[in-house]
């Protein structure tokens, strides 16, 4: 029997879609099954950053930080529509402490016990020096000192913060990143099945035979593949044990990260990196034009089947933490939205959730039909994870094709890093009825494809019904036809964040309209 596919990938998060894209681009026949919408779990619940992970330096994770720093600029060039540079302001005060379990904290407590766990300014500056130089930075500006008494970044902060350091990282629209990887994989021949659950899989000589179930209709299909990739994120362990019936000593550690969103707390476009007296850190980031995103927490999460939510305790903690810095306190009643995601970290035996490694681990099993299990990882290193996965896959499947994704833009990203405003101006020139805010939102979501989406429109009346927040029938049809969207939540919370602007009645109306269009197939193969 000749298998249907070379590769069957389980999981439609960033790791699964990244591997699918890389593999399809190397000529492999690929199928990907996701039991819900793409990016419906961890990959839409990140802190939305392409970053090296400044705090990981305290854990001596130099390889991970260096790889992530290099990737920031590789990814920025490939997706300048959904990712952009951002400057981070790190205020300094002598009350800042290390988390007690970090290797750096233990080392300094031994050699400098009089510091009593404080983070000295010289050490922060040294860490930022490493952060500037470990990754061979070319596009992003380096660190500078900031006088908070005169700089606009100091205006919303308490007076006790007199100095800060400002450094570079990048913002990314995480769930759009997943969808665009899936689209590019499909364009290169992959088959993407959303709302499709793996309910059984067994080895049959040198290949796998899997049973997939459409969770909407209950219909099943059998698919055979030369190799299976388990990229199920929080469900990677459950998939191994309950579906694949494979015993392994490797374990996943589930860590919940929660965030809150409040009306914007400052007028400038920089983010803040706040260090707490408990040793933890949080970010306060400009978000969706009118808001500030604050997060994240680190809490153990035992059951992948339990939907992660930001608890009242976590929301209160984030409000208190941010209020230690902002002159105007962040109150619980200010919170307009919360979200939470479960990070499926590789269980390295660390004592705390914060100390658990954010690096990824790939485990290949070749006793019978090959199986690759993906543990951990972070959104910044997804492309490198995929390349490393393909190295393992190529060895087994005897594939001789070079890595290719480093120089390849994602759909809509075929323009220069500094060309966003040119794209906005070009879109408004082509469609004069668009105002600056509307055009910017479209370019930040679709890049050069916004021109294609609106082709032929002479005015708003040509875009069909308006659902609110500048969302029209024309855009929703595009999302259903090209981006696998099937319901309002897909559109409002994963293909974008217009859920912050539409009320419940508008969201319900959108859901009803999409249900009426369900007979028209989405882009799933």
């Amino acid at each position: 029997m000749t298998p249907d596919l070379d590769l069957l990938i389980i999981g439609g998060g960033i790791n699964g879609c990244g591997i699918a894209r890389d593999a399809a681009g190397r000529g492999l026949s690929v199928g990907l099954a996701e039991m819900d919408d793409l990016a419906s779990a961890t990959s839409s619940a990140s802190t939305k950053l392409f970053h090296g992970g400044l705090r990981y330096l305290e854990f001596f994770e130099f390889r991970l930080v260096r790889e992530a720093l290099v990737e920031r600029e590789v990814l920025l060039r490939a997706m300048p529509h959904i990712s952009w540079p951002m400057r981070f302001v790190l205020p300094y005060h002598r009350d800042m402490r290390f988390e007690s379990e970090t290797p750096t904290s233990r080392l300094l407590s031994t050699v400098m016990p009089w510091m009593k766990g404080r983070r000295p300014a010289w050490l922060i500056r040294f860490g930022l020096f490493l952060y500037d130089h470990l990754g061979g930075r070319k596009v992003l500006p380096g660190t500078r000192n900031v006088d908070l008494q005169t700089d606009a970044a100091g205006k919303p902060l308490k007076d006790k913060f007199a100095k800060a350091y400002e450094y570079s990282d990048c913002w990314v629209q995480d769930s759009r990143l997943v969808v665009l990887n899936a689209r590019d994989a499909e364009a290169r021949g992959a088959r993407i099945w959303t709302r499709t659950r793996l309910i059984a899989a067994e080895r049959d000589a040198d290949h796998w035979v899997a049973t997939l179930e459409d969770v909407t209709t209950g219909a099943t299909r059998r698919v055979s593949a030369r190799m299976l990739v388990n990229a199920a994120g929080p469900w990677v362990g459950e998939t191994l044990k309950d579906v694949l019936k494979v015993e392994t000593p490797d374990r996943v550690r589930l860590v919940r990260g929660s965030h809150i969103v409040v009306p914007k707390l400052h007028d400038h476009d920089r983010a803040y990196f706040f260090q707490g007296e408990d040793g933890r850190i949080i970010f306060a980031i400009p978000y969706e034009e009118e808001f500030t995103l604050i997060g994240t927490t680190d809490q153990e999460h035992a059951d992948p089947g339990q939907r992660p939510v930001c608890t009242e305790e976590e929301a209160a903690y984030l409000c208190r933490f941010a209020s230690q810095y902002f002159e105007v306190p962040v109150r619980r009643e200010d919170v307009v939205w919360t979200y939470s995601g479960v990070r499926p970290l590789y269980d390295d035996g660390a004592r705390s959730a914060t100390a658990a490694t954010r690096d990824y681990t790939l485990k290949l099993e070749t006793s019978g039909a090959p199986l690759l299990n993906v543990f951990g990882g972070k959104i910044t290193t997804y492309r490198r994870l995929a390349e490393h996965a393909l190295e393992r896959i190529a060895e087994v499947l005897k594939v001789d094709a070079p890595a290719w994704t480093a120089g390849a833009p994602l759909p809509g990203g075929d323009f220069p890093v500094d060309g966003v405003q040119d794209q906005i101006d070009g879109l408004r020139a082509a469609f004069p009825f668009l105002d600056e805010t509307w055009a910017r939102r479209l370019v930040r979501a679709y890049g050069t494809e916004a021109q294609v989406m609106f082709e032929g429109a002479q005015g708003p009346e040509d875009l069909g019904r308006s659902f609110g927040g500048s969302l029209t029938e024309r855009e929703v049809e595009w999302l259903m036809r090209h981006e696998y969207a099937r319901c309002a939540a897909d559109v409002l919370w994963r293909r974008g964040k217009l859920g912050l602007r539409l009320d419940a009645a508008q969201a319900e109306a959108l859901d009803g309209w999409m249900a009426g269009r369900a007979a028209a197939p989405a882009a799933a193969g």
Side-chain angles (χ1 to χ4, degrees), residues 173 176 434 438-446 449-450 452-454 462-485 491-492 495-498 502 510 513-514:
Q173 299 194 62
R176 289 208 57 75
L434 296 176
W438 191 356
R440 182 183 300 109
R441 182 183 72 77
L442 292 170
V443 168
R444 281 305 189 190
Y446 308 105
E449 291 191 321
V452 181
M453 179 192 300
F454 276 21
D462 295 324
L463 304 179
R465 177 177 177 179
S466 174
F467 296 101
S470 76
L471 181 68
T472 64
E473 279 188 28
R474 177 75 67 96
E475 185 174 353
V476 178
E477 286 173 344
W478 172 278
L479 294 171
M480 295 180 74
R481 186 178 305 115
H482 299 287
E483 295 197 6
Y484 318 94
V491 171
L492 299 180
R495 304 308 181 275
K497 290 296 180 285
L498 287 174
L502 270 66
L510 172 61
W513 185 88
M514 293 179 71

Side-chain angles (χ1 to χ4, degrees), residues 101-171:
E101 294 185 13
T102 70
T104 301
S105 175
R106 292 196 296 268
L107 177 62
L108 258 67
S109 295
T110 300
V111 300
M112 302 174 67
W114 59 89
M115 294 298 297
K116 298 181 179 179
R118 288 196 296 268
R119 278 187 176 105
W122 65 263
L123 186 63
I124 293 173
R125 193 62 184 87
F126 177 66
L128 287 166
F129 174 83
L130 291 177
Y131 205 70
D132 278 345
H133 293 90
L134 274 175
R137 177 178 48 84
K138 295 182 178 66
V139 174
L140 301 173
T143 299
R144 72 178 185 100
N145 295 333
V146 175
D147 181 352
L148 294 176
Q149 302 300 309
T150 59
D151 192 283
K155 185 176 180 181
L157 302 181
K158 292 181 176 179
D159 289 341
K160 74 174 185 177
F161 299 104
K163 70 174 182 178
Y165 307 104
E166 184 180 298
Y167 69 95
S168 291
D169 265 321
C170 299
W171 172 264

